Amino acid sequence: QLQLRESDSRLVKPSQTLSLTCAVSGGSISSGGYSWSWIRQPPGKGLEWIGYIYHSGSTYYNPSLKSRVTISVDWSENQFSLNLSSVTAADTAVYYCARALNYYYIDVWGKGTTVTVSS
Amino acid sequence: VLTQSPVTLSLSPGERATLSCRASQSVSSYLAWYQQKPGQAPRLLIYDASNRATGIPARFSGSGSGTDFTLTISSLEPEDFAIYYCQQRSNWPPECSFGQGTKLEI
């Protein structure tokens, strides 16, 4: 059974870069047809799609975050990563990694990890 | 942009729930529904507007195409009270977005 696990919760200072990793177990990240995704949820608010990396290596990002986001994959470690630069308090959220099908619907979610941006 | 209505829906177990999701432009059938309970990751209920995900009970059904979509729960069970989100993708590039959610409360 495929499982996704985000890196531990963290505290990040404003203007710094947030880096998270999602470890994939129970399946190969190089399997065709999947998009490896990041979604976030600010406290008490709804879901926001950040972006994903397709098994081919192509990336697609939320236009509102595109200038600050990079999603990459480490095929040998079977994991993928999120970098979000120049963070502010508005980036405080639970961050989920996930597997998507047909470029959108998510059938497997990680448990989520809390990121707090504060000095 | 996806707009969900109502924001909050108050019903009792055994009643029928109808949740709406409207897109600002056509998304074809690229529409999914999720259920989220406090402290948990969302769970996929419906994809491609009307296909139930694996293990989802038959009381959940989805319908619609283009800009107007509906999630129907035929007879509410106590465990169905949660927040529901719709999600769409654009044709190309395949960018995604979520609706703001509907809270289904007892």
Side-chain angles (χ1 to χ4, degrees):
Chain A
Q1 182 181 355
L2 190 80
Q3 291 188 323
L4 307 179
R5 189 181 69 181
E6 301 91 350
S7 37
D8 292 340
S9 298
R10 56 198 57 193
L11 175 65
V12 183
K13 289 182 166 47
S15 79
Q16 291 187 341
T17 294
L18 162 68
S19 296
L20 295 174
T21 297
C22 181
V24 179
S25 59
S28 173
I29 200 170
S30 59
S31 298
Y34 299 117
S35 306
W36 302 96
S37 310
W38 289 96
I39 298 98
R40 69 181 183 179
Q41 186 169 33
K45 296 188 178 180
L47 302 166
E48 181 179 30
W49 176 71
I50 299 172
Y52 50 63
I53 186 163
Y54 198 49
H55 74 96
S56 65
S58 299
T59 52
Y60 302 94
Y61 300 131
N62 185 325
S64 69
L65 299 171
K66 189 173 184 177
S67 62
R68 299 195 290 131
V69 172
T70 302
I71 296 175
S72 59
V73 63
D74 185 333
W75 306 110
S76 63
E77 294 293 328
N78 214 39
Q79 63 186 27
F80 62 105
S81 299
L82 168 71
N83 278 0
L84 181 65
S85 64
S86 305
V87 297
T88 70
D91 295 308
T92 294
V94 174
Y95 285 73
Y96 295 100
C97 64
R99 184 182 79 171
L101 288 153
N102 199 15
Y103 295 103
Y104 81 106
Y105 67 89
I106 296 165
D107 66 334
V108 182
W109 296 75
K111 293 186 184 300
T113 190
T114 299
V115 173
T116 303
V117 179
S118 174
S119 56
Chain B
V1 176
L2 291 177
T3 303
Q4 293 185 239
S5 61
V7 173
T8 304
L9 184 57
S10 300
L11 293 171
S12 299
E15 290 191 298
R16 182 184 186 91
T18 303
L19 286 68
S20 175
C21 179
R22 176 164 290 179
S24 57
Q25 57 189 44
S26 176
V27 299
S28 184
S29 293
Y30 296 136
L31 197 287
W33 291 93
Y34 300 86
Q35 176 194 69
Q36 187 178 34
K37 296 181 179 179
Q40 297 183 15
R43 176 175 72 144
L44 177 68
L45 300 174
I46 301 288
Y47 65 94
D48 292 347
S50 61
N51 295 310
R52 264 192 308 277
T54 302
I56 301 302
R59 64 181 182 273
F60 291 92
S61 64
S63 63
S65 66
T67 60
D68 289 302
F69 300 87
T70 300
L71 174 70
T72 301
I73 310 171
S74 59
S75 180
L76 285 165
E77 298 287 340
E79 63 266 26
D80 297 336
F81 292 92
I83 299 176
Y84 292 82
Y85 294 96
C86 57
Q87 179 208 18
Q88 62 88 25
R89 61 158 273 201
S90 56
N91 192 30
W92 203 265
E95 296 167 355
C96 300
S97 65
F98 291 90
Q100 84 280 13
T102 290
K103 182 178 181 180
L104 178 56
E105 64 176 24
I106 299 178

